[in-house]
Amino acid sequence: MDTEAVRALFDRQMRREAPADGPGAVIERVGAVVRQTAAMVGGPGGPGGPGPAGEEMDGGWNGVLWSDLDEHSADAVIAEQIRHFTSLGLEFEWKLYSHDAPHDLARRLTAAGFTPEPPETLMIAEAAGLPADVAVPDGVRLVAVTDAAGVELMAEVHERAFGTDRSHTRERLLAQLAAAPGSVAAAVAMAGDVPVSAARMELPTGTQFAGLWGGGTVPGWRGRGLYRALVAFRTRLAAERGYRYLQVDASSQSRPILRRLGFEELSTTTPYVHTP
């Protein structure tokens, strides 16, 4: 993989020209910034956020996806974004990548009142080079999520895996399945009648990148290959639908697994959160 070329393509398709990531969300290009304002309001998170498989915080995502700043323009643009989201009463995230300019943008965001969350690693692989069939433990089957019952199973996994309420995630996925079912794919690993792992994939239109998000496995089932199996499940779907690349904002837990599967590290990304 030509990592510099793929990173440039990612920046163009998934940041500068990003499609909205859910029903009711609005993408705006305002001067040197691309931002999303979501109809569903929860916490920051959306595309990216800490977790074993790109797990994000609940709610519709509000924030800055891309910026083209220098040392002379940065502070004024930061202040304008704060005014925009604060006027709507919204907490929002500035999704900062390590290759973004100016070099001290992180310091400027902190000085403006943003709080950094744990950094993640932008990892990308070509779907054609990834395993598309990984065995699951005996007695486990992977089931596609297509309706409200499947969404409930996913929410149960996430609440058991992460110990937090996932009502906003449930509402968001239900809205996506109802309004744009082709924009998302999800699966649950079932051990008999019990859901033990789950993950989803975002399929943005007009891009070559499918995004892997929302992975979680309940205690007692970790380390048994379910993460890898769910990556393979989604790899097959992405390839069938014509996506060339798979992208993950990887936590420290998932990064070694993804590296072994063939993902490469292209950048790091840190969510900087501003609360009104």
Side-chain angles (χ1 to χ4, degrees):
M1 181 191 298
D2 183 339
T3 56
E4 289 190 10
V6 174
R7 186 174 64 191
L9 181 66
F10 176 85
D11 279 348
R12 177 170 65 83
Q13 292 189 348
M14 300 300 291
R15 302 182 68 201
R16 297 201 311 270
E17 301 170 3
D21 74 348
V26 175
I27 294 282
E28 300 174 285
R29 173 71 183 263
V30 183
V33 158
V34 174
R35 69 191 181 202
Q36 175 172 294
T37 306
M40 291 177 62
V41 179
E55 174 62 22
E56 82 285 356
M57 296 177 67
D58 294 327
W61 188 77
N62 298 287
V64 173
L65 286 160
W66 176 83
S67 62
D68 182 18
L69 308 178
D70 59 31
E71 62 272 19
H72 305 295
S73 63
D75 292 338
V77 173
I78 291 169
E80 195 282 324
Q81 303 316 307
I82 293 173
R83 285 193 295 271
H84 166 74
F85 287 103
T86 300
S87 71
L88 299 173
L90 296 177
E91 186 173 75
F92 76 101
E93 173 186 314
W94 192 299
K95 193 163 175 60
L96 178 66
Y97 288 78
S98 56
H99 58 279
D100 287 345
H103 66 88
D104 63 347
L105 186 52
R107 178 192 64 77
R108 293 170 186 268
L109 290 169
T110 302
F114 288 77
T115 301
E117 295 192 340
E120 298 142 345
T121 303
L122 172 64
M123 302 187 75
I124 293 177
E126 293 198 53
L130 294 176
D133 189 15
V134 176
V136 296
D138 289 342
V140 176
R141 68 191 191 280
L142 302 184
V143 180
V145 172
T146 59
D147 56 19
V151 173
E152 288 299 322
L153 293 173
M154 284 197 72
E156 180 181 337
V157 168
H158 288 165
E159 288 171 0
R160 292 170 61 198
F162 302 110
T164 57
D165 176 69
R166 295 287 164 178
S167 57
H168 288 298
T169 298
R170 181 188 295 111
E171 293 165 8
R172 176 177 173 172
L173 185 52
L174 284 170
Q176 282 182 284
L177 289 173
S183 69
V184 63
V188 178
M190 301 292 296
D193 295 328
V194 179
V196 294
S197 187
R200 79 173 194 277
M201 176 168 60
E202 300 286 340
L203 299 161
T205 58
T207 80
Q208 297 182 55
F209 296 89
L212 305 187
W213 309 108
T217 300
V218 302
W221 282 91
R222 294 169 184 165
R224 300 174 67 176
L226 294 178
Y227 180 92
R228 294 188 298 276
L230 285 167
V231 170
F233 181 92
R234 291 174 288 174
T235 295
R236 290 196 302 273
L237 289 178
E240 289 170 3
R241 300 187 189 189
Y243 288 85
R244 181 174 180 181
Y245 300 103
L246 292 178
Q247 171 256 322
V248 185
D249 284 357
S251 70
S252 58
Q253 299 102 306
S254 57
R255 188 165 58 244
I257 304 172
L258 292 166
R259 192 182 295 119
R260 288 194 294 271
L261 288 174
F263 283 77
E264 296 187 40
E265 300 175 12
L266 271 68
S267 187
T268 59
T269 177
T270 303
Y272 278 77
V273 178
H274 189 278
T275 303

